[in-house]
Amino acid sequence: MPNDIITLTPPDALDKLYVLNLDTTIWSACRKLTASDFDSENQLPPSALASLGFKKICDPAHMAVFSRLKARAVSLLDRHAVRFLGGWAVPSTKVDGILDGLKAIKDEFYTEKTLFLQNYDRLIAEWISKYEVWREFLASSTVSADYVAQRLTFAWQLFRVKSSEVDSTLDESLSDLGNKLFSEIAKDAADIWTRVYEGKTEVTHKALSPLLTLREKLKGLSFVSPHAMPVISIMDTVLGGVPNKGKYIAGQSLLNLQGLVCLLKDKQALLKQAEAMQNTSNAQRTLNTIVSAFFPNKQTVVPVTPACLNSGGLW
């Protein structure tokens, strides 16, 4: 749309980030169906109507732990990095922490892999015996533990891209990195709204945790967009107005938080407010404009030091 704001990432952002590619494979516990799997009397539909699928030769539930560990790795990266070049652009300041997190997940992945392979033959036999009528159907496609071992892997590649190596295609991807960051922020904020704030008249202080996570992501990647720091200022002003005492957050403080989340989940509105921040250099005036827009009958906000950012209990 013509009025949409585009935030461009400066070329020197490459000097402040790594690219990480998560390279994880999980065995499907399936084998492809073939015509020989069916009795000659059974008629197959024509290829135009159906294609041969797959049969489960092991209980897929045994693969769930590997899927959960992969999801944890993706979540770790999504919390601190932004999708880029089929992987993630990781700020240099976050690399060590992310690698420590990935190493811990990798250790758990291979512990579970060892346990699974040690019990593999027994698990296959139990699966087949559970469907005795189909014993031959399943047994004809079993594979060795060595075969499965090669298809359960957890790894990653970490590399840097030099400015001199950037071609036109890569330059376009780099320039769009800030837009991707704010698209991810909007998507995460929409999820936070649904899970935490929608329809609530009070929340506990745990409701601040996902917002602090978004703030930390923005702070770590602030160099990819000039709009990031103004948004952090708005977030700090709202978070700073939340009382540290009391079991619940309610009233004006909750309304301010709800207004903030509504702004964060609207990418274009957020970028426009960030530009207003850049033009006025007045976080308080911008914040009061936001609160007035969402809650016209409410008073303006008086900012205080965002103590929750230094408490350590919510990070």
Side-chain angles (χ1 to χ4, degrees), residues 216-248:
E216 184 70 2
K217 179 172 180 171
L218 270 173
K219 182 181 178 183
L221 289 160
S222 59
F223 58 88
V224 308
S225 170
H227 295 83
M229 289 309 298
V231 172
I232 291 172
S233 293
I234 294 172
M235 295 185 75
D236 284 353
T237 306
V238 175
L239 292 168
V242 177
N244 288 324
K245 296 181 179 180
K247 184 177 180 180
Y248 295 104

Side-chain angles (χ1 to χ4, degrees), residues 196-217:
V196 182
Y197 287 98
E198 185 177 24
K200 299 294 178 63
T201 57
E202 61 181 21
V203 294
T204 68
H205 281 76
K206 288 183 179 179
L208 299 178
S209 185
L211 288 175
L212 293 172
T213 297
L214 286 190
R215 181 194 182 277
E216 184 70 2
K217 179 172 180 171

Side-chain angles (χ1 to χ4, degrees), residues 187-299:
K187 182 174 180 287
D188 290 342
D191 178 63
I192 292 170
W193 173 257
T194 302
R195 289 189 298 106
V196 182
Y197 287 98
E198 185 177 24
K200 299 294 178 63
T201 57
E202 61 181 21
V203 294
T204 68
H205 281 76
K206 288 183 179 179
L208 299 178
S209 185
L211 288 175
L212 293 172
T213 297
L214 286 190
R215 181 194 182 277
E216 184 70 2
K217 179 172 180 171
L218 270 173
K219 182 181 178 183
L221 289 160
S222 59
F223 58 88
V224 308
S225 170
H227 295 83
M229 289 309 298
V231 172
I232 291 172
S233 293
I234 294 172
M235 295 185 75
D236 284 353
T237 306
V238 175
L239 292 168
V242 177
N244 288 324
K245 296 181 179 180
K247 184 177 180 180
Y248 295 104
I249 302 170
Q252 184 66 49
S253 295
L254 176 58
L255 290 174
N256 294 339
L257 287 170
Q258 289 172 320
L260 173 63
V261 178
C262 285
L263 178 64
L264 290 171
K265 68 190 185 76
D266 186 335
K267 176 184 174 182
Q268 280 303 309
L270 183 61
L271 290 175
K272 287 177 183 177
Q273 292 296 346
E275 286 210 344
M277 286 284 294
Q278 289 175 305
N279 294 333
T280 64
S281 298
N282 190 327
Q284 183 56 44
R285 187 186 312 163
T286 303
L287 175 61
N288 287 331
T289 300
I290 296 166
V291 173
S292 297
F294 282 108
F295 310 107
N297 298 322
K298 298 300 175 184
Q299 62 189 26

Side-chain angles (χ1 to χ4, degrees), residues 147-167:
Y147 174 94
V148 176
Q150 295 173 19
R151 284 155 180 79
L152 279 172
T153 62
F154 189 101
W156 59 84
Q157 295 84 40
L158 183 70
F159 57 93
R160 302 196 77 153
V161 179
K162 296 181 180 178
S163 300
S164 59
E165 298 172 351
V166 176
D167 60 19

Side-chain angles (χ1 to χ4, degrees), residues 2-315:
N3 294 326
D4 281 359
I5 294 178
I6 305 296
T7 181
L8 297 177
T9 299
D12 64 358
L14 276 177
D15 301 329
K16 302 174 184 177
L17 60 82
Y18 287 81
V19 179
L20 189 145
N21 175 50
L22 188 63
D23 187 10
T24 302
T25 59
I26 299 174
W27 183 50
S28 66
C30 296
R31 294 283 282 173
K32 188 175 180 180
L33 278 171
T34 64
S36 61
D37 287 316
F38 296 88
D39 295 335
S40 57
E41 8 185 275
N42 288 337
Q43 296 221 342
L44 296 176
S47 58
L49 295 178
S51 60
L52 293 176
F54 295 85
K55 55 181 174 179
K56 300 172 184 177
I57 61 171
C58 179
D59 189 346
H62 296 308
M63 299 299 105
V65 62
F66 302 108
S67 296
R68 285 195 299 270
L69 290 169
K70 180 178 180 180
R72 268 176 49 192
V74 171
S75 177
L76 171 66
L77 289 162
D78 281 342
R79 286 198 307 272
H80 300 287
V82 59
R83 302 287 179 127
F84 183 57
L85 300 180
W88 286 264
V90 180
S92 302
T93 55
K94 299 291 183 181
V95 166
D96 289 343
I98 286 176
L99 290 182
D100 286 344
L102 289 177
K103 287 172 186 173
I105 296 171
K106 179 180 179 180
D107 288 344
E108 192 172 344
F109 187 99
Y110 280 100
T111 297
E112 292 292 344
K113 175 180 176 178
T114 299
L115 183 62
F116 174 70
L117 293 176
Q118 287 174 343
N119 294 283
Y120 176 73
D121 290 338
R122 175 179 61 80
L123 294 174
I124 292 293
E126 288 177 354
W127 180 249
I128 293 176
S129 65
K130 187 177 179 180
Y131 301 97
E132 189 63 36
V133 175
W134 298 93
R135 171 176 290 275
E136 186 176 344
F137 173 79
L138 294 171
S140 63
S141 294
T142 56
V143 294
S144 68
D146 288 340
Y147 174 94
V148 176
Q150 295 173 19
R151 284 155 180 79
L152 279 172
T153 62
F154 189 101
W156 59 84
Q157 295 84 40
L158 183 70
F159 57 93
R160 302 196 77 153
V161 179
K162 296 181 180 178
S163 300
S164 59
E165 298 172 351
V166 176
D167 60 19
S168 57
T169 303
L170 185 55
D171 183 60
E172 184 178 338
S173 296
L174 177 65
S175 297
D176 195 46
L177 200 55
N179 285 310
K180 284 189 176 180
L181 171 61
F182 279 101
S183 292
E184 291 182 9
I185 293 295
K187 182 174 180 287
D188 290 342
D191 178 63
I192 292 170
W193 173 257
T194 302
R195 289 189 298 106
V196 182
Y197 287 98
E198 185 177 24
K200 299 294 178 63
T201 57
E202 61 181 21
V203 294
T204 68
H205 281 76
K206 288 183 179 179
L208 299 178
S209 185
L211 288 175
L212 293 172
T213 297
L214 286 190
R215 181 194 182 277
E216 184 70 2
K217 179 172 180 171
L218 270 173
K219 182 181 178 183
L221 289 160
S222 59
F223 58 88
V224 308
S225 170
H227 295 83
M229 289 309 298
V231 172
I232 291 172
S233 293
I234 294 172
M235 295 185 75
D236 284 353
T237 306
V238 175
L239 292 168
V242 177
N244 288 324
K245 296 181 179 180
K247 184 177 180 180
Y248 295 104
I249 302 170
Q252 184 66 49
S253 295
L254 176 58
L255 290 174
N256 294 339
L257 287 170
Q258 289 172 320
L260 173 63
V261 178
C262 285
L263 178 64
L264 290 171
K265 68 190 185 76
D266 186 335
K267 176 184 174 182
Q268 280 303 309
L270 183 61
L271 290 175
K272 287 177 183 177
Q273 292 296 346
E275 286 210 344
M277 286 284 294
Q278 289 175 305
N279 294 333
T280 64
S281 298
N282 190 327
Q284 183 56 44
R285 187 186 312 163
T286 303
L287 175 61
N288 287 331
T289 300
I290 296 166
V291 173
S292 297
F294 282 108
F295 310 107
N297 298 322
K298 298 300 175 184
Q299 62 189 26
T300 56
V301 180
V302 179
V304 296
T305 303
C308 62
L309 300 180
N310 300 314
S311 65
L314 293 172
W315 287 103

